[in-house]
Amino acid sequence: MFLCAVMASLVLSGCDIETSGNGDLDGYWSLRRIDTLATAGTADVSERRIFWSVQHDLLQTDDHTHAHTSCLFRFQHTGNTLMVSSPYYYGRIEGDQPVEDVEALRPFGINAIPETFAIDKLNSSDMVLRSETLTLYFRKY
């Protein structure tokens, strides 16, 4: 038994396992609520079926009602800050095209490029992001 444990340790130590370093940020997030900071307005958006997918250094936004085109972003996650940039329309067949009008990103809670969010809460099930204009509430799947 001891020999098996030693062999397993040696095999695993020889593997170059890549991790993103994103911690709880990595995953599939459902946008549930948006608060507008200027007016203190609150909108329940859970029925819109908007999702953010985060893996390694890419963020993808999806609308499962198909009312808005999916987008890909680069992002930087540093401490309690998340900055999204370089948006592209996701085009599996025709190729990804740059997003030139921020209006296309507003349904996903993104109002500027680049957009910097303060991370007010991030754990294995909930994320709250705050920009200059909005607070976004997510639940992880």
Side-chain angles (χ1 to χ4, degrees), residues 31-48:
L31 182 59
R32 313 303 289 172
R33 187 175 102 202
I34 299 175
D35 292 352
T36 304
L37 300 177
T39 64
T42 296
D44 177 352
V45 295
S46 57
E47 297 300 318
R48 292 188 192 169

Side-chain angles (χ1 to χ4, degrees), residues 41-74:
T42 296
D44 177 352
V45 295
S46 57
E47 297 300 318
R48 292 188 192 169
R49 300 178 54 210
I50 299 290
F51 291 86
W52 287 23
S53 302
V54 179
Q55 184 177 16
H56 198 53
D57 61 353
L58 285 178
L59 183 148
Q60 180 175 339
T61 56
D62 289 303
D63 175 353
H64 288 277
T65 66
H66 306 290
H68 307 285
T69 304
S70 296
C71 295
L72 298 170
F73 299 82
R74 292 288 180 192

Side-chain angles (χ1 to χ4, degrees), residues 1-11:
M1 184 65 159
F2 176 73
L3 184 58
C4 288
V6 169
M7 291 301 292
S9 294
L10 290 173
V11 168

